[in-house]
Amino acid sequence: MKRSSGARIGATAAVSVLSLALITGCSDEGSDSSKGSDSASSSPTAPAAKALTTAELKKLLIAQGDVKGYKVEAVDESYPTSKSEVKVDKTECRPLAYTMAGLAPGDTDANASITAGEDKSPDASKALEDMTEDALADAFDVSMTLVGLSSYDGDGAEKTFKSVSDAVASCAGGFTISAQGEDQKLNKIASEKASGAGDESVAFAASGEMEEAGTGDVHMEVVRHGNTIATYYTFNLGKLTSGGAYTVPSVVVDAQAAKLK
């Protein structure tokens, strides 16, 4: 991602020009953390889980006002709208690539997504091109999270979660994503500490090169709530260019988890 191209559209609109193929990152510290609990589907007398519809998932997504200090908006055209738009050179790494795109990491048509960004605007009295480097960096120090929900029949959610968890390990050496006319080599996938939300959760980060900015950092978490999977893909343009630390915001995860209870 070229810094100048981001500056032209402003910090509050950064998500609209950040495509899956241009934003990559990682942290080489942290550990994978997950928790599990007995699910109703494990009982021989319990009925098989039935997937929610896309319309039902949309109603369960976080909305404006659910996360204090964040602006929740519809996903814009900068993100892929179908899995056919996302190509991966390693089949086992597809669940991770789909998570980064806000798409269902598993095999289902029931999928919905939303964006949640820190509600922080640059100084309206100054044009971005007139800002100092420090002021510009501060204006772009905004965490944006793509939240996705997908739902599955039977044990589909458990299998999907396992495919993500397995991919974090099997894709540790990285993989290449092709999306929206761009190829991006991810050099490394690293486990991170998960929130522990839901029935199972796993967190990870991806590392890759950015144009004129060295290596960038982005972070993901996947949480299973019964037969529904919640995915979180977070990037911070300011931290990407400065190398500062950040992660998936716990307030976003907690707010979404509350709506899935």
Side-chain angles (χ1 to χ4, degrees), residues 17 111 125 170 193:
V17 296
N111 184 67
S125 67
S170 61
K193 183 176 176 57

Side-chain angles (χ1 to χ4, degrees), residues 20 86-88 97 100 175-179 182-184 186:
L20 169 67
V86 181
K87 307 298 183 183
V88 185
M100 296 175 72
F175 58 95
T176 298
I177 299 174
S178 299
E182 298 285 346
D183 293 338
Q184 178 64 58
L186 304 182

Side-chain angles (χ1 to χ4, degrees), residues 7 123 125-136:
D123 186 349
S125 67
K126 292 184 178 180
L128 289 173
E129 58 267 23
D130 295 330
M131 289 184 179
T132 65
E133 284 293 310
D134 288 344
L136 189 60

Side-chain angles (χ1 to χ4, degrees), residues 39-185:
S39 63
S41 61
S42 65
S43 170
T45 60
K50 181 68 176 175
L52 299 174
T53 65
T54 294
E56 290 172 324
L57 290 174
K58 287 180 178 179
K59 294 179 180 179
L60 291 172
L61 279 168
I62 54 173
Q64 182 61 31
D66 288 336
V67 190
K68 185 177 180 180
Y70 279 75
K71 188 173 183 179
V72 179
E73 299 179 297
V75 176
D76 63 44
E77 61 186 15
S78 68
Y79 290 97
T81 58
S82 71
K83 292 180 179 179
S84 64
E85 299 177 50
V86 181
K87 307 298 183 183
V88 185
D89 65 339
K90 297 179 181 178
T91 302
E92 66 272 22
C93 302
R94 286 177 181 170
L96 307 187
Y98 296 149
T99 294
M100 296 175 72
L103 300 171
D107 186 14
T108 182
D109 292 326
N111 184 67
S113 58
I114 201 82
T115 61
E118 287 184 285
D119 196 2
K120 177 181 177 182
S121 300
D123 186 349
S125 67
K126 292 184 178 180
L128 289 173
E129 58 267 23
D130 295 330
M131 289 184 179
T132 65
E133 284 293 310
D134 288 344
L136 189 60
D138 183 64
F140 279 85
D141 188 7
V142 177
S143 288
M144 308 292 279
T145 301
L146 177 62
V147 182
L149 294 181
S150 56
S151 192
Y152 306 80
D153 288 324
D155 61 353
E158 288 93 331
K159 289 180 177 178
T160 295
F161 181 85
K162 185 177 186 302
S163 73
V164 173
S165 183
D166 288 348
V168 173
S170 61
C171 301
F175 58 95
T176 298
I177 299 174
S178 299
Q180 298 170 320
E182 298 285 346
D183 293 338
Q184 178 64 58
K185 169 64 178 176

